[in-house]
């Protein structure tokens, strides 16, 4: 299973990552290897094996619906590159 | 859009509509963290924390109340509740989504295979509910511009992480009207359950619609468009009427429908293309590794079922059974829990043994004059300045002939404005219906003398002249004369003139 250059570029676009030409080539091969491993695993007969989307040994971890104080505004927005009043400021987003 | 244009679409094509409805759930804290959900009056970004902002190393924890609410909705929509459910990550980049993914449910949602009944032209139609799943709301973007006119956006994440329930219907609706009726019924159920504020105009309840056309008899679905930005029931119907017509024009001209998201522009009455829809695969769903599965024990679900309040359909049927109300009135009164209570309280407070008669009076006043006053002042019935017993006392006064219906309407309106009890106004001003024959005879004489044309019409046999003259007597008595008392006196006077 060989990934094309376009497929790698598309995945990079979805993840918002900029890649050099060399990275595209090397990632195409690496990702293809990973997909190869998955394809091999998919050949295993798993009929009769229960679905396990989680490997956690617990279920139903929940909390009661009680509100607690949030972060102070300066702490909450400490990581925003640009701030305007109480808002984070970003490039124009078209609805 | 004119109805005949829609009819033209429906002659040639079958309209197929499915709705995706999102409602915020009325919890006190967010879906996966303890931030307070009551942010409406607060500054931007004052209800956020490391969990809802997706800081490294934090862990979400499920709000049990939100899951309970989800089961309530699922049961109300006749859904199956699977014994195992999980959350998944839906990945996409957008500034209103601080984590870079939304926690949602993909292939193992809490509720599946339900239905909801709507009443179309007096007949009940069942609309399938594919699923209802729990997720988290996104932040809010505000668009702005600097002094040079360059646009930018401001982000407020207070809303990010509010529990959001998505209810997906089957493509079972066949007209924009059915879509509106479905939406209205669903809102009524959600509000009755106390899980949603149901405010479309404020965005706590939102509706996206998928709509496509196909030739009659065709079984394959046509290419659909997804319509957004419909902020009222009326907008849902208008937007879908417009879109059905637009799609027909494209198809009739030999064009093809592009699968895309279109926004309804209320002011212009049109839908406009927003962006080409991403393929579902682009979201790269995978199981949320930070949240363990939820095993749904039967006693959990049954416990919730036992606490469910009466739902609109059951209440409508009870109103028909217990009060002999016509189905239309029953549906209207039963749809809103607060209105239903007010109606029942009024009926109970009225005097007399005939329960159906009392209910009919209460229904007429609640749906008529009282609704008009509430609507005009945009007041919820729960804040009505006139209590149900006070309304009942006013109706009783009419039934007992103490005041006329016209007087009662005036008193109701005044009591509504001044917040007095109607009885207090009646007592203070000594308002009473005039059944004193001498007084009415005087009004009748005046009406007959000042309206010779109506008298002549009566003598020519025109029956409506009597109604006109009764109206004149009513006017002269300032509404205090009772029409059924006036009529025989008036006719006697007219007949006497003719002799």
């Amino acid at each position: 299973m060989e990934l094309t250059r376009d497929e790698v570029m598309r995945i990079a676009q979805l993840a918002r990552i900029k890649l050099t030409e060399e990275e595209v080539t090397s990632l195409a091969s690496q990702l293809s290897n990973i997909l190869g491993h998955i394809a091999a695993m998919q050949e295993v007969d798993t009929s009769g094996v229960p679905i396990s989307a989680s490997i956690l040994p617990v279920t139903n971890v929940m909390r009661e619906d009680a509100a607690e104080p949030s972060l102070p505004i300066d702490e909450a927005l400490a990581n925003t590159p640009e701030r305007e009043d109480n808002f984070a400021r970003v490039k124009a987003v078209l609805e | 859009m004119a109805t005949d244009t829609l009819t033209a679409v429906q002659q040639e094509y079958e309209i197929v509509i499915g709705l995706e409805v999102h409602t915020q759930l009325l919890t006190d804290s967010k879906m996966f963290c303890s931030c307070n959900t009551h942010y409406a009056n607060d500054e931007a970004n004052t209800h956020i924390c490391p969990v809802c902002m997706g800081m490294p190393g934090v862990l979400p924890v499920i709000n049990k109340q939100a899951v309970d609410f989800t089961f309530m909705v699922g049961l109300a929509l006749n859904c199956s509740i699977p014994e195992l459910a999980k959350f998944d990550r839906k990945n996409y980049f957008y500034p209103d989504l601080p984590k870079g993914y939304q926690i949602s449910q993909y292939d193992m949602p809490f509720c599946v295979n339900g239905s909801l009944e709507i009443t179309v032209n007096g007949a009940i139609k069942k609309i399938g509910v594919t699923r209802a799943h729990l997720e988290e709301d996104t932040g809010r973007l505000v668009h702005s511009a600097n002094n040079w006119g360059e646009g930018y956006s401001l982000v407020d994440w207070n809303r990010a992480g509010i529990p959001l329930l998505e209810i997906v219907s089957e493509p079972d609706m066949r007209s924009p009207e059915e879509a509106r009726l479905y939406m209205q019924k669903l809102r009524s159920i959600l509000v009755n359950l106390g899980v949603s504020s149901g405010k479309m105009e404020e965005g706590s309840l939102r509706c996206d619609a998928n709509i496509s056309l196909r030739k009659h008899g065709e079984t394959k679905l046509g290419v659909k468009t997804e319509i957004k930005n419909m902020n009222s029931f009326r907008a849902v119907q208008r937007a879908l009427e417009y879109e059905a017509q637009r799609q027909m024009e494209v198809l009739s001209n030999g064009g093809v429908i592009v699968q895309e998201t279109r926004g309804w522009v209320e002011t212009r009455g049109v839908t406009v293309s927003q962006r080409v829809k991403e393929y579902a695969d682009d979201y790269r769903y995978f199981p949320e590794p930070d949240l363990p599965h939820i095993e749904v024990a039967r006693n959990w679900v049954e416990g919730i079922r036992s606490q469910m309040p009466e739902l609109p359909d059951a209440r409508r049927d009870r109103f028909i059974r217990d009060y002999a109300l016509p189905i239309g009135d029953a549906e209207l009164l039963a749809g809103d829990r607060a209105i239903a209570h007010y109606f029942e309280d009024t009926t109970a407070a009225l005097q007399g043994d005939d329960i159906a008669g009392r209910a009919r009076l209460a229904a007429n006043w609640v749906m008529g004059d009282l609704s008009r006053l509430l609507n005009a002042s945009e007041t919820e019935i729960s804040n009505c300045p006139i209590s149900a017993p006070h309304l009942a006392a006013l109706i009783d006064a009419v039934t007992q002939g103490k005041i006329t219906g016209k007087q009662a309407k005036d008193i109701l309106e005044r009591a509504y404005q001044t917040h007095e009890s109607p009885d207090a106004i009646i007592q203070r001003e000594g308002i009473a219906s005039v059944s004193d024959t001498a007084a009415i005879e005087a009004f009748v004489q005046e009406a007959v003398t000042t309206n010779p044309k109506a008298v002549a019409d009566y003598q020519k046999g025109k029956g409506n002249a009597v109604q006109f003259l009764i109206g004149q007597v009513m006017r002269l008595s300032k509404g205090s004369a009772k029409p059924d008392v006036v009529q025989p006196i008036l006719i006697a006077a007219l007949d006497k003139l003719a002799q």
Side-chain angles (χ1 to χ4, degrees):
Chain A
M1 171 126 194
E2 199 62 35
L3 275 181
T4 66
R5 183 183 173 283
D6 281 353
E7 283 169 327
V8 175
M9 295 296 283
R10 174 159 176 74
I11 294 164
Q13 158 67 22
L14 283 172
R16 301 296 190 275
I17 300 171
K18 197 180 268 178
L19 297 178
T20 63
E21 273 307 316
E22 294 82 58
E23 285 170 325
V24 172
T25 315
S26 80
L27 279 171
S29 134
Q30 285 178 29
L31 288 171
S32 299
N33 275 335
I34 293 169
L35 288 178
H37 284 300
I38 304 288
M41 282 193 280
Q42 279 180 329
E43 282 172 25
V44 178
D45 179 9
T46 56
S47 53
V49 179
I51 299 165
S52 59
S54 168
I55 54 159
L56 298 174
V58 289
T59 56
N60 300 34
V61 181
M62 288 179 275
R63 38 174 266 277
E64 290 306 312
D65 180 29
E68 283 172 32
S70 300
L71 282 181
I73 183 76
D74 289 329
E75 233 176 286
L77 294 182
N79 292 332
T80 54
E82 275 193 273
R83 180 174 161 180
E84 184 173 311
D85 301 327
N86 262 11
F87 291 93
R89 182 172 161 160
V90 297
K91 282 196 287 188
V93 180
L94 296 175
E95 283 287 284
Chain B
M1 191 179 76
T3 317
D4 52 347
T5 324
L6 187 66
T7 311
V9 177
Q10 286 170 320
Q11 267 164 10
E12 199 165 347
Y13 295 97
E14 182 176 46
I15 303 173
V16 178
I17 300 170
L19 296 186
E20 289 172 18
V21 175
H22 287 88
T23 179
Q24 291 184 344
L25 295 178
L26 292 175
T27 56
D28 287 327
S29 65
K30 287 188 179 180
M31 184 63 233
F32 300 112
C33 64
S34 303
C35 284
N36 197 307
T37 54
H38 307 284
Y39 58 79
N41 300 316
D42 293 339
E43 293 285 317
N45 293 313
T46 52
H47 291 246
I48 61 179
C49 77
V51 175
C52 54
M53 294 301 288
M55 302 287 182
V58 300
L59 282 175
V61 188
I62 298 163
N63 184 337
K64 180 169 182 294
Q65 183 67 67
V67 181
D68 286 348
F69 281 166
T70 299
F71 290 154
M72 282 172 76
V73 174
L75 292 172
L77 297 176
N78 310 304
C79 288
S80 306
I81 312 284
E83 292 179 11
L84 190 62
K86 71 175 170 71
F87 284 96
D88 299 274
R89 287 190 185 179
K90 178 179 179 177
N91 301 277
Y92 65 96
F93 282 100
Y94 214 66
D96 64 9
L97 193 68
K99 296 200 288 282
Y101 60 86
Q102 179 191 37
I103 303 179
S104 180
Q105 295 189 288
Y106 186 55
D107 56 349
M108 294 169 71
F110 282 122
C111 315
V112 296
N113 296 336
S115 64
L116 176 153
E117 289 178 356
I118 56 175
T119 310
V120 192
N121 301 327
I124 287 177
K125 174 168 178 174
K126 194 179 265 197
I127 307 294
V129 171
T130 316
R131 56 187 282 159
H133 70 254
L134 196 49
E135 56 189 31
E136 52 181 343
D137 208 347
T138 61
R140 185 175 64 96
L141 290 166
V142 182
H143 303 288
S144 194
N146 63 20
N147 292 337
W148 298 276
E150 293 164 343
Y152 58 90
S153 299
L154 297 172
V155 200
D156 170 12
W157 288 294
N158 281 346
R159 199 180 69 179
I162 301 284
L164 198 63
L165 182 65
E166 177 172 339
I167 300 153
V168 184
S169 86
E170 290 289 304
D172 283 351
M173 285 153 275
R174 292 291 174 267
S175 70
E177 185 196 11
E178 288 185 12
R180 174 178 56 78
L181 290 168
Y182 170 89
M183 196 60 203
Q184 284 174 321
K185 179 52 100 39
L186 184 54
R187 178 189 182 274
S188 168
I189 291 169
L190 294 170
V191 173
N192 267 275
L193 288 172
V195 305
S196 169
S197 67
K199 294 188 172 146
M200 287 189 80
E201 66 286 359
E202 290 173 17
S204 76
L205 180 66
R206 298 163 224 162
C207 173
D208 300 335
N210 289 308
I211 174 169
S212 61
L213 301 186
R214 63 182 172 193
K215 291 276 185 187
H216 290 289
E218 171 68 58
T219 50
K220 215 171 122 238
L221 289 171
V223 177
K224 68 186 177 187
T225 55
E226 183 177 0
I227 313 299
K228 289 179 179 286
N229 295 346
M230 300 172 291
N231 297 326
S232 66
F233 296 124
R234 188 163 168 268
V236 170
Q237 183 162 350
R238 283 182 66 209
L240 292 172
E241 284 173 353
Y242 172 86
E243 182 63 14
Q245 187 195 13
R246 188 194 69 84
Q247 290 191 7
M248 181 179 79
E249 279 170 15
V250 171
L251 294 171
S252 307
N253 294 325
V256 288
I257 304 298
V258 182
Q259 180 170 344
E260 60 179 351
T261 302
R262 298 179 68 86
W264 168 244
V265 186
E266 180 81 30
T267 47
R268 290 164 52 207
V270 298
T271 64
V272 295
S273 179
Q274 288 190 318
R275 62 189 153 117
V276 176
K277 178 110 178 113
E278 288 178 278
Y279 297 108
D281 289 346
D282 282 7
Y283 291 129
R284 293 152 295 143
Y285 281 98
F286 61 83
E288 168 58 64
D290 289 341
L291 292 172
H293 286 186
I294 297 106
E295 285 175 2
V296 185
R298 290 302 96 181
N299 61 7
W300 183 2
V301 178
E302 291 315 311
I304 287 177
R305 195 194 298 277
S306 69
Q307 295 164 26
M308 299 258 289
E310 186 182 37
L311 289 168
D313 282 359
R315 188 156 50 221
R316 174 199 63 200
D317 295 344
R318 182 167 63 80
F319 282 5
I320 294 170
R321 195 173 61 239
D322 292 357
Y323 301 118
L325 286 181
I327 183 164
D329 291 359
E331 178 112 28
L332 208 69
L333 290 166
D336 181 300
R337 181 159 53 169
I339 292 174
H341 283 171
Y342 193 100
F343 156 74
E344 290 203 271
D345 290 348
T346 305
T347 305
L350 282 169
Q351 294 180 10
D353 296 331
D354 171 19
I355 191 162
R358 277 157 43 201
R360 196 173 57 244
L361 280 171
N364 287 344
W365 280 86
V366 170
M367 293 189 302
D369 291 274
L370 192 69
S371 280
R372 198 162 31 79
L373 292 167
L374 291 166
N375 289 340
S377 59
E378 292 180 14
T379 306
E380 300 282 336
I381 201 162
S382 50
N383 297 323
C384 180
I386 296 168
S387 70
H390 281 160
L391 177 64
L394 184 68
I395 302 171
D396 278 336
V398 180
T399 313
Q400 292 155 7
K402 291 180 186 161
I403 56 172
T404 65
K406 170 80 174 61
Q407 287 173 321
K409 284 171 197 279
D410 291 342
I411 293 164
L412 182 73
E413 188 156 348
R414 285 170 56 196
Y416 189 90
Q417 308 302 347
T418 60
H419 293 205
E420 287 172 284
S421 81
D423 218 34
I425 297 179
I426 295 174
Q427 296 296 331
R428 189 183 61 233
E429 305 191 2
I431 299 169
S433 66
V434 177
S435 45
D436 167 8
T437 314
I440 290 175
E441 276 174 349
F443 291 133
V444 165
Q445 272 314 317
E446 191 176 345
V448 167
T449 316
T450 52
N451 295 286
K453 185 174 177 300
V455 173
D457 284 348
Y458 173 77
Q459 284 158 353
K460 284 180 217 152
K462 290 189 183 168
N464 54 5
V466 173
Q467 290 310 313
F468 173 78
L469 287 167
I470 291 175
Q472 295 305 305
V473 174
M474 296 293 293
R475 194 175 57 80
L476 291 166
S477 75
K478 298 189 171 61
S480 66
K482 298 182 72 183
D484 54 341
V485 179
V486 172
Q487 180 152 355
I489 297 175
L490 175 69
I491 289 180
L494 288 168
D495 291 346
K496 203 169 159 193
L497 274 179
Q499 286 164 6

